[in-house]
Structure formats: structure tokens, C-alpha cells
Amino acid sequence: MDDRSLETLGLADAPRDHPLLYPGAWPADSGLLDGDSLLPLDRLVHDDRAPVLAVGSNACPGQLRRKMDAFGIVSPLPMVKARVTGIEVGVSAHVSRLGYVSASPFHAPGHLRELFVIWLDDEQLAVIDASEGVPRPDGNYGRAWLPASDVRIELADGTTLPGAFSYVNRHGVLHDGTEAPRTHPGQRPLITELLLGSARLRQLFGVTPEEFCARARADAGLCERGTLLFAAEKLVTTSGLEAYLPAGPA
């Protein structure tokens, strides 16, 4: 029998432990995350679970495993590759306490890319909510329902979902210099470019991606100052998805 362990598949490392790897390795295809293995999936739609569109490390099996392990959750978790139209992966306008600048979706009409839908039972959804700061009033993300009228999610068997949840950053996203949202290029190139572009950011976080990650992980207050600096230096724009954010707890 083929070895389907996360280690063998190159999917075991979690950005929580290795922030410069963010968003982490994604699977080549759909699968069932079961313990430390990614097994073949027998069906794509799981009507008894909540569909969540993953745009960052929630599509990394190693990261998902770490999140579930922290709460003793061992139930299998379906991960389904999908063709998604209307969404692109942007850069969250906050510095994470885990040492990286994470991803957040932004509205991109007509844009097509492959993302993962993770199907979560109630316990799993509560864990992912907590990891994204939902429903804390000071949380960085809100869980928003993105309807099919704006975001088309098509599975490999031709099924089109009526919509899915996704985590939208309440601070907005970083722009590309033209007020349009910038795409997330991966952690090392992103932090390198951000540090080169801001002397004040270098004063806070150092001059290399390694320094940035180490300082952010060591000081939650510094992360808050970095988040405020993004706004102060006018690096932030809207994602176009704010209307879908719940006013209160998701």
C-alpha cells in the first residue's frame, strides 16, 4: 500500500512552527486528512459539514493537523480542490502573532484559480474559528458566507456549490501601490519587499525576513504596532468582501 503519510507527501510542516514557509505546502489533489495521513477521498460534497474556502495555511495539511491536535480533535477532515471564480488571495493588513503576514481573500470578478474547500464538522469549525480570532470583537478575521452569485466554486465532478465560508480580514488587505489589492507571493518575498519599502517597519522588525519572524513571534504588542503601521503608511485597501462580514459573532 502506498505511503500516504504527510511526511512522505511533503505536507507535514506547519507554518505555525516555520513561519517563513507560510502558507505551507498544499496537496496536489483532494484528500481526506486523517491523523498524519492524507487518504483518498470517496466523495467531494459533504452536506453534513460546513464548506470553508481556504486561501492560506488552512489549505496546508500540516497546519490543519497542528490546529486540531491542540484541541484533541482526531476526526477526519475532507479537503477538496476546487476551481474558484471571483476570488484572489491577498495579503492581510495585520502582522500575525505567529510571525508571518497571512493571507486574506479579495473580490476579483472573473478571476479563476484553484483553491481548496475544507469541509468541517462542528468541532473542527470551532477550532478553525478560534484560530482566526472568531468571534472575538478584537479578532483579525470574520467568517463570511460568500454566495455563488459573487463567487463560483466548481468541484472536479462538475458540482457548483451554493457558496462557502471564508475568513475575511477585518483590517482590509495590503494594496500594490495603485490601490488595488496585492496578491500574496509567499512569506519570504513578501516580507523582503515590505521591509525594503518601509524604514519604520525595519525599525520595528529588523532588516531580514528571519528577524521579522523572530521579533513578531516574541512580542504580541509589536505585532499590533506593525498592524497600525500598515494603516499609518497608507498601505491598506478594502478587500471588496466587507459587506459579507457579520456585524457580530460569526
Side-chain angles (χ1 to χ4, degrees):
M1 181 177 179
D2 291 341
D3 185 353
R4 302 291 298 175
S5 70
L6 299 186
E7 190 70 39
T8 298
L9 295 173
L11 301 172
D13 287 337
R16 285 178 164 238
D17 304 317
H18 309 282
L20 284 177
L21 294 182
Y22 184 94
W26 293 9
D29 208 343
S30 301
L32 182 69
L33 180 60
D34 189 1
D36 291 323
S37 297
L38 189 68
L39 306 177
L41 196 60
D42 61 350
R43 57 193 172 99
L44 302 182
V45 176
H46 299 260
D47 290 325
D48 55 336
R49 292 168 171 254
V52 175
L53 188 63
V55 301
S57 65
N58 285 332
C60 170
Q63 185 90 319
L64 287 173
R65 187 72 270 140
R66 284 278 280 105
K67 290 184 179 186
M68 297 302 155
D69 284 348
F71 288 85
I73 305 298
V74 297
S75 52
L77 191 161
M79 305 181 67
V80 176
K81 182 177 277 191
R83 289 166 50 89
V84 181
T85 304
I87 286 293
E88 180 56 296
V89 179
V91 179
S92 296
H94 84 282
V95 179
S96 170
R97 297 177 182 180
L98 295 172
Y100 45 69
V101 181
S102 53
S104 186
F106 67 85
H107 195 210
H111 181 76
L112 172 65
R113 66 166 296 160
E114 288 188 334
L115 294 170
F116 275 86
V117 175
I118 56 176
W119 294 87
L120 305 178
D121 63 25
D122 291 343
E123 284 188 322
Q124 293 167 344
L125 183 61
V127 168
I128 302 299
D129 273 357
S131 75
E132 305 293 350
V134 176
R136 296 198 322 264
D138 63 340
N140 293 306
Y141 292 92
R143 174 159 48 86
W145 177 259
L146 306 181
S149 57
D150 274 344
V151 180
R152 178 182 172 85
I153 304 172
E154 184 180 358
L155 308 184
D157 63 359
T159 299
T160 300
L161 300 185
F165 291 109
S166 193
Y167 294 97
V168 175
N169 199 284
R170 294 188 179 277
H171 302 283
V173 294
L174 301 187
H175 64 68
D176 64 2
T178 70
E179 297 303 316
R182 67 179 299 166
T183 56
H184 201 303
Q187 202 59 206
R188 187 178 291 277
L190 173 64
I191 293 178
T192 298
E193 185 173 340
L194 291 175
L195 290 174
L196 285 173
S198 172
R200 294 168 68 188
L201 201 64
R202 293 194 297 274
Q203 290 173 354
L204 292 179
F205 293 98
V207 298
T208 68
E210 288 80 6
E211 286 181 292
F212 183 104
C213 293
R215 293 188 187 185
R217 287 170 71 87
D219 191 338
L222 188 63
C223 293
E224 294 175 7
R225 292 170 64 189
T227 299
L228 292 173
L229 182 59
F230 285 156
E233 295 205 337
K234 301 187 185 305
L235 301 176
V236 180
T237 190
T238 60
S239 68
L241 300 172
E242 287 78 9
Y244 297 115
L245 283 170

